[in-house]
Amino acid sequence: MKKRQRGLWGWSWRVLLLLLLWLVGVGAWVVWVGHDDQAEPADAIIVLGAAAYDARPSPVFEERIRHGLSLYQRGLAPRLIFTGGFGGSGARFAESEVARRYALRHDIPDEAILIETHSRSTRQNLLYARELMQANGIGKVILVSDPLHMARALRLSKELGIDAVASATPSTRFRSLRGSWRFLAQEVYFFHRDLFEQARNHWVQTHP
């Protein structure tokens, strides 16, 4: 009995160690993707939505908008696509409308801006952005978001058939160590949730 218990304990700590190494590896991959700036000439720049306070972008969203404008001003793409719907029932402006107002104040021409006002998640950001791309003959895009968010954004883009490269904000407003770790843990969770959903969808499609 004692030998069996020692054997079970030995296997348990090995499994836990492998699980820990896997999670560390996923976290390292998320960080690496977020710091790999792939910005190159494209047809448009998609700025993924984030919180807005009435007509003012949150610090996180402002950082994304500013980086999108910087890429546009560098001549990497002739159009900006701002995404993000209404944050709550009392919101006067959708996130994308807040971004558009910000861009206009910084001398971006109105005809260079496209927006969608319905999305409430990263997947929806990209789904509605894809509709704008198809309606306006846009092919390749540059995705803009926070570094720790970029791996998921690229993964979802590939799943949705969007030809995208990544250019994360050069800094993040998640400045506290606690905030950064929470954001990273969230992205590691979403990585596994998406894998599970993809596996489930594949099973449903192959086993009608």
Side-chain angles (χ1 to χ4, degrees):
M1 179 65 70
K2 289 184 178 180
K3 186 176 181 180
R4 177 182 293 181
Q5 289 177 342
R6 287 197 298 269
L8 288 173
W9 170 247
W11 277 107
S12 296
W13 77 258
R14 286 181 175 86
V15 170
L16 288 173
L17 179 59
L18 286 173
L19 178 61
L20 178 61
L21 290 173
W22 168 262
L23 292 175
V24 170
V26 171
W29 174 74
V30 168
V31 172
W32 178 78
V33 171
H35 288 85
D36 181 25
D37 191 348
Q38 304 169 351
E40 61 185 31
D43 300 316
I45 298 156
I46 296 178
V47 178
L48 297 180
Y53 310 134
D54 192 42
R56 181 169 56 88
S58 64
V60 169
F61 196 21
E62 183 174 12
E63 198 81 359
R64 296 182 188 183
I65 298 167
R66 289 174 56 189
H67 187 54
L69 300 192
S70 173
L71 295 173
Y72 173 85
Q73 290 161 347
R74 285 166 53 189
L76 289 176
R79 283 188 167 177
L80 286 153
I81 299 175
F82 293 120
T83 66
F86 291 85
S89 58
R92 290 194 304 156
F93 303 100
E95 294 165 5
S96 57
E97 291 175 323
V98 173
R100 178 180 175 275
R101 287 160 59 93
Y102 188 102
L104 292 174
R105 289 197 303 271
H106 288 77
D107 300 321
I108 304 299
D110 190 30
E111 59 269 21
I113 301 172
L114 297 170
I115 68 170
E116 63 78 23
T117 60
H118 305 290
S119 62
R120 299 292 298 273
S121 67
T122 302
R123 178 182 290 274
Q124 290 179 4
N125 286 166
L126 293 166
L127 278 169
Y128 286 114
R130 186 178 65 177
E131 290 183 3
L132 290 174
M133 291 170 61
Q134 292 170 345
N136 291 273
I138 293 170
K140 187 175 184 178
V141 296
I142 303 171
L143 285 183
V144 172
S145 190
D146 292 86
L148 294 179
H149 187 224
M150 192 54 72
R152 178 156 54 108
L154 277 177
R155 193 167 66 252
L156 289 172
S157 296
K158 183 177 180 180
E159 179 185 329
L160 296 171
I162 296 173
D163 183 9
V165 293
S167 184
T169 55
S171 61
T172 177
R173 290 293 180 170
F174 293 97
R175 290 181 174 177
S176 71
L177 183 61
R178 181 180 179 184
S180 296
W181 275 108
R182 287 179 62 185
F183 196 7
L184 178 59
Q186 171 184 289
E187 293 305 313
V188 170
Y189 162 76
F190 280 126
F191 172 86
H192 292 91
R193 188 199 65 177
D194 292 346
L195 281 182
F196 174 78
E197 289 184 353
Q198 288 174 11
R200 183 183 61 183
N201 292 336
H202 178 72
W203 172 267
V204 170
Q205 291 171 4
T206 56
H207 297 78

